[in-house]
Amino acid sequence: MEKLVVHSLINFPQDLEEFLEGIPLEFLEPAHRKIIDAVIDLSRDKRLITRETLLLELGEGFCQSQDFLEVFNADCTPDYINLKEDFKKFLALKVQRKLANELAKASLNSEIYDLEFINRYISIEPSKNGALLSEYIKRFADMPPLAKLSTGVSFFDEILGGGFEVGRFVLVSGDAETGKTLLCQQFLEFMALEHKVCYFSFEFPVRGYVDHLLRRKFYFNPDNLYLDGDSQHLNDLSARIKSLARKGFKAFLIDSQMRVMGYGDAINSKEEFESSKFTVLSSLAKSLEVLIILIIQNSKDDEFAPFGSKKGSHEADIMFRISRLKKFELKRLNFDEEHGFLMRKITTLKNKQTGLQTFKYFRIDQKSFKFVHIEGNRKGQPRLFYRRED
C-alpha cells in the first residue's frame, strides 16, 4: 500500500498536501520519504512532477535503485485521498509489527524495552535515582578513570585538558562553507585510531564520504568507524546511539542540526521542535558516557545561539565557532585577501570542561583536508588570551 500511495502522489499531486496532513512520514520507508520530500519541493516550487524532474532532484543513482523502480511499477489511483484513513491504519499496523519485533528482541536479550510502556500493564517500582556520596565513592572506586578522547590538534587538547571527556555534548557552529564538517571529521577520524566512533552523515552522501576517504587514504581501522545517513528522526537517532554505545562506541558526530527531525510541529512550534534535539542529545551523552558532537546552524538574531532554540546553547557543555578572517586580521597576520580564503578563526564560546576560553587562527590544508595551525612568527600574530568561566 505504501508504494501505491507514493506512486499516486507523484502522478496526481493536486491532493498532496491534504493527504499528507496528519500523516507521520517518519514511519515510511526511508526511500519513500525521500521521494515524497522531492515531490513536495517540486510542488511548492510549482514545477512539473515527472520521472525526469524527480531524476534531477534525487540523482541518477537513487532513481536507478530498486526502491525507486518498485514505486513506479506499483499501482496508482487518482482517488488516493479516500485511502487516507486506511493508510493511517496501515502505518499503525506497521509500527505495531516493528514494536512487536523490538519487544521480542529485547526479551530474548533479557532487556526491558521501555519501562514506561511496560508499566501500563504491570506495576513496577521506579528505579532509585541518586545515592549517597559514600555509595558513589565506592561505586566509582573500581571503575577506570573517565576517558578523554584526544582531538589530534594540540590547540583543542590544550584547552580541554587532554581532549574531550566522554559524557560531553559539543556544538560546532559557523557560517556556510567555513569547514564545520571538515573540522569535525578531522576530530572523529583521529579518535578512530583508538576508539569506535560513529558519523551520522545527513548533509552529504555516505558514498561520497567513503570515496573521499579512499582518495586521500586513511590510517584508522575501518571497523572503528560506523556510518549512518538515514537515522534522521530523533527517535531513530537516539535508538542508534544507544545501540552503538552498548557495543563500545565512544564518539558520535551528527551533521547537522537542520537534518534531524525533532519532536513537535516544525512550523507552529519551532522552539519546541528544535530544542527537543538538544535536550535529548545532551541527556544521551551524559547517561551513556559518550561524546556527542552536533554541527549547528546559527540563529539570525544571535550568532552565538543555535537556530530556532534559545535552550540549545544551555544544553551544551562545549561550543566552538568557526569564522572567516576579517580584513584587519588578515593584515595583522600578513596575509592578503587572495591567500586568506583558506584562513579560519576558531573561537571557544563555552567550555564547561576546563573553563578556558580563547581563539586560534588556522589554515585549511588543501592536500590533507585538515585544519592546521598558522605556523611561523608572522608580523603581528596575536597572542592567545585565556579566560576561565565563572
Side-chain angles (χ1 to χ4, degrees):
M1 187 175 193
E2 196 169 314
K3 296 185 183 74
L4 179 148
V5 166
V6 176
H7 196 190
S8 300
L9 291 173
I10 295 171
N11 288 334
F12 310 102
Q14 61 273 15
D15 295 321
L16 171 70
E17 292 191 7
E18 183 181 351
F19 182 85
L20 292 180
E21 185 178 357
I23 298 292
L25 297 180
E26 64 267 23
F27 296 117
L28 272 66
E29 295 302 312
H32 297 163
R33 295 205 310 256
K34 189 171 182 177
I35 294 171
I36 289 176
D37 286 342
V39 172
I40 292 172
D41 289 341
L42 290 170
S43 176
R44 288 176 178 170
D45 293 340
K46 299 188 181 335
R47 295 162 60 194
L48 285 176
I49 300 172
T50 65
R51 192 163 184 162
E52 287 70 26
T53 54
L54 285 172
L55 177 66
L56 292 174
E57 287 290 309
L58 298 169
E60 186 174 348
F62 178 80
C63 292
Q64 290 178 349
S65 68
Q66 189 67 26
D67 290 328
F68 184 83
L69 296 175
E70 286 179 356
V71 167
F72 274 87
N73 290 330
D75 293 332
C76 66
T77 172
D79 300 320
Y80 63 90
I81 191 71
N82 295 321
L83 296 175
K84 184 169 182 176
E85 293 306 315
D86 290 327
F87 189 59
K88 285 183 177 179
K89 183 177 180 180
F90 165 82
L91 288 180
L93 291 171
K94 178 180 178 181
V95 172
Q96 187 168 279
R97 285 192 294 271
K98 180 180 178 181
L99 179 60
N101 290 333
E102 293 292 336
L103 285 167
K105 183 179 178 181
S107 298
L108 288 173
N109 293 331
S110 297
E111 298 174 349
I112 299 297
Y113 176 73
D114 187 325
L115 188 58
E116 184 178 348
F117 175 79
I118 300 299
N119 274 337
R120 296 179 189 176
Y121 306 96
I122 181 173
S123 178
I124 301 177
E125 286 295 320
S127 301
K128 178 186 175 183
N129 292 321
L132 295 171
L133 173 60
S134 56
E135 294 178 293
Y136 275 125
I137 292 174
K138 184 177 180 181
R139 183 188 307 175
F140 297 151
D142 297 328
M143 296 175 65
L146 202 61
K148 282 190 176 181
L149 310 181
S150 173
T151 65
V153 183
S154 59
F155 166 71
F156 294 102
D157 284 354
E158 180 183 348
I159 64 171
L160 295 170
F164 290 113
E165 290 178 353
V166 294
R168 297 295 186 179
F169 180 43
V170 181
L171 303 182
V172 177
S173 66
D175 295 329
E177 307 300 325
T178 50
K180 300 183 293 293
T181 298
L182 194 65
L183 177 65
C184 293
Q185 287 175 346
Q186 182 174 341
F187 289 163
L188 203 70
E189 290 166 17
F190 185 82
M191 293 172 189
L193 292 170
E194 297 184 9
H195 307 279
K196 289 184 177 294
V197 300
C198 173
Y199 177 25
F200 293 101
S201 181
F202 301 149
E203 292 287 348
F204 305 98
V206 168
R207 182 173 181 179
Y209 176 60
V210 172
D211 287 346
H212 175 69
L213 283 176
L214 293 173
R215 282 197 305 272
R216 62 184 175 89
K217 298 183 180 181
F218 58 92
Y219 300 97
F220 57 85
N221 183 347
D223 289 339
N224 280 355
L225 176 59
Y226 189 95
L227 300 172
D228 183 341
D230 297 316
S231 300
Q232 296 185 28
H233 193 277
L234 195 53
N235 280 336
D236 298 333
L237 183 61
S238 299
R240 179 63 62 202
I241 291 174
K242 289 177 182 177
S243 174
L244 292 174
R246 286 195 293 268
K247 297 175 182 177
F249 281 73
K250 292 296 183 185
F252 299 84
L253 168 60
I254 304 167
D255 188 10
S256 67
Q257 170 196 352
M258 300 303 288
R259 295 291 181 177
V260 177
M261 295 291 294
Y263 299 135
D265 189 330
I267 304 300
N268 298 317
S269 303
K270 185 172 70 174
E271 175 71 28
E272 176 189 356
F273 181 80
E274 294 298 332
S275 293
S276 64
K277 307 173 188 179
F278 298 96
T279 301
V280 169
L281 294 173
S282 175
S283 177
L284 280 177
K286 291 172 177 58
S287 62
L288 300 174
E289 290 193 352
V290 296
L291 171 69
I292 297 180
I293 302 174
L294 175 64
I295 297 174
I296 65 170
Q297 282 67 38
N298 290 110
S299 166
K300 293 180 181 179
D301 301 324
D302 182 356
E303 65 175 5
F304 299 111
F307 171 82
S309 175
K310 297 176 183 177
K311 187 179 179 182
S313 57
H314 295 288
E315 294 286 359
D317 298 300
I318 298 165
M319 294 178 66
F320 295 117
R321 176 170 175 77
I322 307 174
S323 56
R324 292 182 175 84
L325 272 63
K326 301 186 184 322
K327 288 184 179 180
F328 77 88
E329 291 175 307
L330 289 172
K331 186 177 180 180
R332 180 188 300 170
L333 294 169
N334 202 26
F335 285 110
D336 55 36
E337 290 187 47
E338 181 181 352
H339 294 91
F341 79 102
L342 291 174
M343 305 304 166
R344 297 292 185 267
K345 178 182 180 180
I346 300 182
T347 306
T348 311
L349 303 179
K350 185 177 184 180
N351 183 359
K352 284 187 176 181
Q353 190 166 304
T354 64
L356 295 175
Q357 290 181 277
T358 184
F359 67 88
K360 180 76 173 177
Y361 293 112
F362 286 84
R363 174 177 59 85
I364 298 176
D365 183 79
Q366 291 182 297
K367 291 184 179 180
S368 64
F369 295 97
K370 293 184 184 299
F371 278 70
V372 294
H373 295 161
I374 296 178
E375 302 292 348
N377 187 22
R378 294 190 179 273
K379 178 183 176 182
Q381 184 164 348
R383 180 165 55 93
L384 294 182
F385 292 94
Y386 290 89
R387 71 180 179 85
R388 188 173 294 278
E389 285 187 331
D390 294 333

